[in-house]
Amino acid sequence: MAPAAMRTAAQSLSGAEPVSYWLDDPARPDPLPALTGDEHTDLLVIGGGYSGLWTALVAKERDPGRDVVLIEGHEVGWAASGRNGGFCAASLTHGLANGVQRWPGEIAKLEELGERNLDAIEEAVARYEIDCEFERTGEIDVATERHQLEELRERHREIQRLGITGVDFLDRDTLRAEVDSPTFLGGLWDRRGVAMLHPAKLAWGLKRACLELGVRIHERTRGLDLVRRGPGMAVRTPYGRLFARRVALGTNIFPSLVRRVRPYTVPVYDYALMTEPLTSGQLESIGWKGRQGLGDSANRFHYFRLSADNRILWGGYDAIYPYGGKLSADLDQRPKTFLTLAEQFFRCFPQLSGVRFSHAWGGAIDTCSRFTAFFGTAHRGRVAYAAGFTGLGVGSTRFGAEVMLDLLAGEESERTRLEMVRSKPVPFPPEPFAWAGIEITKRSLARTDTNGGRRDLWLRTMDRLGLGFDS
């Protein structure tokens, strides 16, 4: 980074609060009391992020008479659900290309289920009057290098071949009429497949909806262990116990209470910045009247969007795997990454020189080797789990909730018949092999970005094995 660019980046970050913009909100509800003593329930949901919240809500919608308890180790929406970019995508497969590569025979069905899932989220937001700034404005995948432009053209041809509508290829001038950056060469606009929202307000709204339907929620209540007890399961917590006929695990990046599931996921720390609100002149200088979400097409990609009060969220690029899969609040802040992100922001939008960042934060995502969720049961069908959502869990966690409830009911459905649901990703190896493999992969991906998109032998081998690393 040039000295002048470094100074500009550092100055823009000088007043940034070290906390997620979404969680730094006066609407944040007070936590509910921890569980004390013993409770019994039909369904116990462990985890108060999107995965657990959707599971509890949909369980009550399916059967209002079912008793449901949800426990959360910290506060509802505190982890990835309150720290992400606020993109709610229809894709269940971490994008069309990943889905076509892994499940070509199912991709049409997976795309249909994804659209229905996003429609159901939009309907739930309206029905429960969740004020989460939901805007179904779509997303533009942007090319900033020539090889990316050709890749987007090829993806558009694949979309047309599959009969998917509402996705348009934009040349340079058409794209820059939507959002103006000198780095943009073209793009692919999915007009209906992605919504923007306030992620923490979605979690808090789902919490309220669950309570209104009769779900009992205990925050600051960590599940310590999970054992069979008679015809059901028992979970020990710091101050009590829960006895349940069925258990749904929505713990995602945190160590699963089913130990054999743990090797399938690793934590990836992702980082984001939020600007101060743009003035009308600053907003006019970049256009962006359609308020779409944007993401560039590099392997080390950025995602960016406008908030309801016209701030720009700018995140991505670095995907940091801590050796041994360590989870620590210390990793939520990474000044080196923030400086890099700020410099890249002003390179993308030089017309916004002088803008300051109000917030800078990070958090862990659970990723797996196929980049998209996997599912299963344990303890003879008494326990179900969904994990490995990677970076598109805002929307696909609701689909995962439906899958877990189907599995717990022992029902065959259009969801449980999917190969995506019936198969597992390749687990990550133990250390030091996991760290070494991920580091080699990251370096190869970075070289690909600067080498015309050409993948080296390591990446081609990983492709053949169906393995990878992403955020």
Side-chain angles (χ1 to χ4, degrees):
M1 190 185 303
M6 183 178 293
R7 283 195 300 273
T8 298
Q11 289 168 357
S12 71
L13 291 163
S14 62
E17 294 288 336
V19 63
S20 166
Y21 167 77
W22 309 117
L23 294 173
D24 188 21
D25 193 296
R28 184 172 181 170
D30 293 331
L32 295 168
L35 173 73
T36 57
D38 292 352
E39 286 192 14
H40 294 76
T41 187
D42 297 326
L43 173 65
L44 170 62
V45 180
I46 301 179
Y50 296 138
S51 189
L53 291 164
W54 282 118
T55 302
L57 186 69
V58 175
K60 291 294 283 187
E61 290 175 340
R62 290 187 180 188
D63 180 2
R66 174 164 31 191
D67 187 54
V68 179
V69 171
L70 182 150
I71 62 172
E72 159 57 36
H74 193 75
E75 296 178 26
V76 162
W78 161 81
S81 298
R83 303 176 190 227
N84 61 76
F87 289 67
C88 185
S91 177
L92 304 176
T93 60
H94 199 67
L96 179 65
N98 190 51
V100 169
Q101 179 185 355
R102 298 183 185 281
W103 303 288
E106 289 185 344
I107 191 60
K109 185 64 176 177
L110 289 165
E111 289 289 302
E112 176 200 340
L113 289 170
E115 285 185 28
R116 284 160 48 187
N117 183 65
L118 183 55
D119 289 343
I121 292 171
E122 184 172 21
E123 189 274 334
V125 165
R127 175 156 40 103
Y128 294 109
E129 298 181 337
I130 298 174
D131 181 16
C132 63
E133 300 163 14
F134 190 97
E135 298 179 280
R136 198 156 176 178
T137 49
E139 179 183 25
I140 303 176
D141 289 334
V142 174
T144 57
E145 300 287 345
R146 290 292 172 190
H147 72 272
Q148 296 170 8
L149 194 61
E150 293 309 309
E151 290 167 2
L152 290 182
R153 290 185 192 276
E154 177 57 35
R155 193 188 312 170
H156 190 230
R157 286 190 286 268
E158 178 70 18
I159 287 168
Q160 292 177 315
R161 184 185 67 79
L162 291 170
I164 298 171
T165 59
V167 182
D168 298 324
F169 182 83
L170 308 179
D171 62 22
R172 176 183 176 276
D173 291 342
T174 306
L175 172 58
R176 291 188 62 175
E178 292 289 335
V179 187
D180 190 16
S181 165
T183 66
F184 291 176
L185 303 179
L188 204 58
W189 184 1
D190 182 349
R191 293 177 179 270
R192 290 281 298 166
V194 183
M196 302 297 107
L197 52 76
H198 187 303
K201 287 183 178 179
L202 174 63
W204 301 333
L206 290 173
K207 172 184 174 180
R208 175 180 55 78
C210 284
L211 291 170
E212 289 173 353
L213 293 185
V215 177
R216 288 177 284 149
I217 297 177
H218 297 284
E219 294 174 276
R220 299 177 179 175
T221 301
R222 185 180 168 206
L224 300 176
D225 55 39
L226 174 69
V227 297
R228 288 175 61 181
R229 178 71 175 262
M233 302 299 299
V235 173
R236 182 171 58 89
T237 73
Y239 305 117
R241 294 178 300 174
L242 279 154
F243 302 94
R245 292 178 59 249
R246 296 290 183 267
V247 177
L249 298 178
T251 50
N252 294 308
I253 193 51
F254 298 99
S256 177
L257 293 179
V258 177
R259 294 186 66 88
R260 60 182 166 83
V261 176
R262 295 181 186 180
Y264 289 103
T265 63
V266 295
V268 180
Y269 275 81
D270 187 52
Y271 298 92
L273 306 174
M274 184 69 95
T275 72
E276 62 193 359
L278 301 187
T279 66
S280 57
Q282 290 167 334
L283 193 58
E284 181 66 27
S285 74
I286 58 172
W288 217 341
K289 297 180 179 66
R291 303 185 59 80
Q292 310 93 332
L294 287 95
D296 64 47
S297 302
N299 290 302
R300 302 179 75 182
F301 61 92
H302 304 88
Y303 52 87
F304 38 119
R305 53 153 297 183
L306 287 171
S307 66
D309 59 350
N310 291 328
R311 302 168 184 260
I312 296 179
L313 183 147
W314 177 266
Y317 189 71
D318 270 347
I320 305 301
Y321 168 68
Y323 185 89
K326 179 180 71 171
L327 293 170
S328 171
D330 292 341
L331 297 172
D332 292 347
Q333 291 291 306
R334 197 166 191 266
K336 178 181 177 182
T337 294
F338 296 146
L339 278 169
T340 299
L341 284 172
E343 188 274 332
Q344 292 165 338
F345 174 85
F346 292 114
R347 193 188 312 161
C348 180
F349 293 122
Q351 61 269 55
L352 296 181
S353 177
V355 166
R356 299 282 183 138
F357 293 101
S358 63
H359 295 76
W361 72 94
I365 300 169
D366 63 322
T367 192
C368 67
S369 61
R370 72 184 193 187
F371 314 142
T372 192
F374 62 92
F375 313 90
T377 60
H379 296 284
R380 297 186 178 180
R382 296 177 176 89
V383 177
Y385 57 83
F389 289 95
T390 314
L392 294 187
V394 177
S396 58
T397 43
R398 187 193 176 281
F399 174 82
E402 297 264 24
V403 170
M404 283 196 285
L405 292 170
D406 289 350
L407 292 172
L408 289 173
E411 296 174 353
E412 183 177 293
S413 68
E414 60 182 345
R415 290 176 289 268
T416 61
R417 286 191 293 269
L418 292 168
E419 175 63 21
M420 186 185 83
V421 171
R422 293 185 290 109
S423 64
K424 295 283 194 300
V426 176
F428 289 94
E431 297 293 10
F433 304 106
W435 185 87
I438 289 170
E439 285 301 304
I440 293 169
T441 302
K442 286 172 58 179
R443 292 172 189 175
S444 291
L445 289 169
R447 283 195 298 270
T448 298
D449 284 339
T450 59
N451 193 32
R454 291 183 290 276
R455 297 172 77 81
D456 62 18
L457 178 61
W458 175 266
L459 292 179
R460 295 196 302 272
T461 301
M462 297 282 280
D463 291 342
R464 286 194 295 271
L465 295 174
L467 303 174
F469 176 78
D470 204 350
S471 63

